[in-house]
Amino acid sequence: MKRSAFLLAVSLLFMSCATMAQRGQPLVTRAADALGGADTLAAVKTVSLRGTVRQWEPEQSMTAGGEARFACESMFEAVTDVAAGATRIDWSRKFAYPAPRTFTFTEVVTPATGYVAGIDSNGRTKQSLEATPPAHTMSGLRLAATQRELRRGSVVLLHEMLKNPDRVSPVGDVTVGGTAYPAVDYRAGDQTLTVLFDKATGLPARIRTLDYDNIWGDVIFDLVLADWQTIDGVRVATTRRYELNGRTVSETKIAGGKINGAVASDLLAIPEAFRTGAPKPAAGAVPYQWVIRRQFIGTYLDSDAPSYDTRATSSLRLVELAPGVQHVVGGSHHTLLVEMRDAVVAFDAPVSDGHSNWVLGAAKSKFGGKPVKYLVLTHHHMDHAGGLRAYAAQGATLIVGKGTADHYRRVLASPFTRNADLGARDLRGTAIVEVAERHVIADGQREVHAYRIDNPHADGLLIGYVPDARLGFATDIWSPGAGPLPDKLNPALAALVAGVKKAGIEPTRFAGGHGSVADYAPLAALEGR
Ligand SMILES: [Zn+2]
């Protein structure tokens, strides 16, 4: 190499180092120092932490747009082998919603595989149901989401960033609640964490991702770190709060821990039978908010298709309940389709716009290309309304319960550039009809009714009725065919029976947003018992 070329190469090397140094690395270095120093962090081989978690779900609220529902209180013990990138968490989760119950289970997450021993959800997969004792591999979606959150909350995240300066870039100050935080982006695979630093202490204050939420569209998801304590020479945030668009949805309190304690290797082992053929972490469009928050209420279906179990079925499917009446089943959440003279009425838009796209396609081919002109949303919960945009995008009118129209207007006005299933567009012009008591869609051939009923599940909840088929449709207050009826009416079932009576309708059967279809008379007969 000629001398001039050599000097040029050397100077380019220095320039790139200098550029890299300007590119946010001083913030990372300062934070690492504040956490105990680069050498201390580099020497962390194992991390054991125990504590409690409380969680709230904003989109399972009683009132649309109202106070978040308290979902769960958990105790956990977590151990991490830093070099192996493996973590085990033993959980005891006490759920308050949708029904009180406790799940005790273990998660083991390695770079390649996620494993769950025990029952962690009411939405059990075929694999979990067939395993003795119950166990299953995590879907690629859950594995990717869990790995992201373990990285975000890791005691050694800053050391990982220190070792990978090429994946760190400054993003300028980010202002939260009037305070400016210097910040950097850190890329790990196709995930980006934005780390906001406290100007005074240099410690990481917030770790942010930009997610998609099926109700609120583009959302900000922050882990807020506070109450720093020193555990075996390493600073650890002992309060960790997740904020979704500024609202607290989860709060972890670390009660104690140990750095570099002995960890038995078999603690982190995944049985061979569950490692073979296990899904790899999903890349690209992971519906993080769905995967994470369905676990808050213990109903997550751990599958790589968010709305059905890929180990049990390959698709959703239609079941004909009456002429021109199709129940969309095969997944965890159902839609009812009713054919009119030149339009189709749909009840509920569950899970995602991906789910809705399937339903809209199936309706089109089943009903000779007739458009779905009306979407009746029984209630505002994220699992039954999260696919509303696909219907709005093709011009459907929303039929919703009293007191909820403003909520849906705000939802439809929210940007959704990160929606993997539907391109961004302006949905603010969507027509919304609010039902105070009763709404009838009629075309001279067929009527479809919606009735608002008082109930303990969600304010403004609607039930559907197709008079010529004497078929009702209910979501969450009754799951027809999902199991035997109780001996006595519970408050939700009593609300349905009272609502049917008040409406003056005479259903012989009900189809459900969950479950399947069942005769109504046995339910009505429980009244007064
Ligand atoms: Zn609900």
Side-chain angles (χ1 to χ4, degrees):
M1 190 186 283
K2 282 188 182 172
R3 185 182 157 81
S4 57
F6 174 74
L7 284 177
L8 180 66
V10 168
S11 62
L12 281 174
L13 181 67
F14 274 109
M15 271 170 62
S16 73
C17 288
T19 311
M20 222 175 268
Q22 288 158 6
R23 282 175 38 198
Q25 213 50 7
L27 291 167
V28 175
T29 304
R30 187 180 174 218
D33 286 345
L35 288 164
D39 293 344
T40 303
L41 294 179
V44 173
K45 304 299 178 208
T46 68
V47 180
S48 304
L49 296 172
R50 63 191 156 76
T52 56
V53 186
R54 292 201 302 153
Q55 290 158 328
W56 296 264
E57 176 47 68
E59 299 316 316
Q60 295 289 339
S61 57
M62 185 67 198
T63 305
E67 196 184 328
R69 189 95 67 162
F70 175 66
C72 184
E73 180 149 24
S74 306
M75 290 186 297
F76 72 91
E77 286 188 26
V79 290
T80 298
D81 177 333
V82 174
T87 294
R88 171 195 174 108
I89 312 177
D90 292 303
W91 288 105
S92 173
R93 286 198 186 159
K94 196 174 153 199
F95 295 92
Y97 179 88
R101 66 234 190 266
T102 299
F103 292 148
T104 303
F105 60 95
T106 297
E107 295 176 303
V108 182
V109 178
T110 72
T113 311
Y115 169 68
V116 180
I119 296 171
D120 64 335
S121 174
N122 292 96
R124 292 179 65 191
T125 59
K126 186 167 182 275
Q127 187 189 28
S128 167
L129 290 164
E130 289 177 353
T132 315
H136 69 277
T137 49
M138 288 185 186
S139 61
L141 297 179
R142 177 170 175 181
L143 179 55
T146 309
Q147 287 173 338
R148 186 183 82 170
E149 298 316 318
L150 286 173
R151 170 174 277 123
R152 190 193 311 238
S154 168
V155 167
V156 291
L157 171 65
L158 266 293
H159 184 249
E160 188 186 317
M161 293 168 68
L162 209 51
K163 284 191 303 181
N164 295 286
D166 53 317
R167 296 201 257 139
V168 175
S169 47
V171 291
D173 282 4
V174 175
T175 302
V176 182
T179 303
Y181 297 87
V184 301
D185 275 351
Y186 176 59
R187 291 174 306 283
D190 60 356
Q191 300 174 345
T192 299
L193 301 173
T194 303
V195 183
L196 284 63
F197 298 94
D198 184 292
K199 267 186 181 161
T201 64
L203 289 165
R206 257 172 209 268
I207 306 178
R208 170 168 294 185
T209 53
L210 302 178
D211 285 359
Y212 176 70
D213 174 72
N214 65 352
I215 296 297
W216 292 109
D218 297 345
V219 291
I220 292 171
F221 195 48
D222 280 353
L223 177 63
V224 185
L225 302 170
D227 299 332
W228 293 88
Q229 291 182 18
T230 304
I231 299 178
D232 299 317
V234 179
R235 300 284 279 167
V236 175
T238 60
T239 298
R240 296 143 176 246
R241 206 170 62 245
Y242 275 103
E243 289 180 3
L244 180 66
N245 277 359
R247 296 175 80 179
T248 297
V249 294
S250 173
E251 185 175 76
T252 298
K253 294 275 187 190
I254 304 290
K258 177 92 193 129
I259 305 290
N260 292 335
V263 172
S265 60
D266 62 342
L267 266 186
L268 293 157
I270 296 174
E272 171 70 36
F274 291 91
R275 267 180 298 153
T276 310
K280 298 281 168 274
V286 174
Y288 290 102
Q289 288 301 316
W290 177 263
V291 174
I292 293 167
R293 282 161 49 212
R294 293 297 286 170
Q295 294 180 60
F296 285 13
I297 61 170
T299 58
Y300 177 58
L301 177 68
D302 197 354
S303 168
D304 278 312
S307 52
Y308 63 85
D309 181 2
T310 53
R311 291 174 186 269
T313 181
S314 59
S315 175
L316 302 170
R317 64 181 190 277
L318 299 180
V319 171
E320 185 166 276
L321 300 183
V325 181
Q326 298 283 339
H327 202 194
V328 184
V329 299
S332 54
H333 296 71
H334 312 328
T335 292
L336 187 74
L337 297 170
V338 186
E339 182 184 20
M340 308 283 288
R341 191 171 58 201
D342 50 20
V344 176
V345 182
F347 284 88
D348 282 349
V351 185
S352 68
D353 291 315
H355 186 117
S356 298
N357 288 338
W358 189 95
V359 176
L360 286 162
K364 204 170 200 176
S365 48
K366 185 53 112 183
F367 301 126
K370 290 179 187 176
V372 177
K373 280 196 185 167
Y374 306 96
L375 171 65
V376 184
L377 291 169
T378 59
H379 65 301
H380 63 278
H381 290 168
M382 68 187 292
D383 52 330
H384 296 284
L388 83 173
R389 289 183 177 84
Y391 291 87
Q394 59 140 56
T397 292
L398 266 51
I399 316 282
V400 303
K402 184 182 173 185
T404 66
D406 282 349
H407 165 78
Y408 290 112
R409 278 190 200 102
R410 285 198 301 277
V411 168
L412 290 168
S414 302
F416 55 100
T417 61
R418 299 175 206 130
N419 186 338
D421 302 311
L422 189 71
R425 67 199 72 195
D426 186 351
L427 298 176
R428 287 174 298 178
T430 303
I432 303 181
V433 175
E434 205 178 70
V435 180
E437 292 297 329
R438 176 180 192 258
H439 183 76
V440 176
I441 304 165
D443 62 7
Q445 285 183 5
R446 169 170 252 174
E447 289 189 358
V448 175
H449 298 187
Y451 295 90
R452 185 191 64 80
I453 70 167
D454 295 326
N455 75 96
H457 187 71
D459 291 338
L461 181 136
L462 301 175
I463 60 168
Y465 187 56
V466 186
D468 62 71
R470 295 187 68 186
L471 178 75
F473 181 78
T475 296
D476 285 354
I477 52 171
W478 186 27
S479 297
L485 287 172
D487 298 332
K488 283 163 61 170
L489 291 177
N490 61 37
L493 294 173
L496 177 60
V497 172
V500 165
K501 201 176 256 185
K502 188 179 169 197
I505 54 178
E506 294 185 326
T508 54
R509 292 177 300 160
F510 259 86
H514 298 288
S516 54
V517 63
D519 289 339
Y520 178 65
L523 178 69
L526 295 180
E527 201 188 10
R529 282 211 197 159

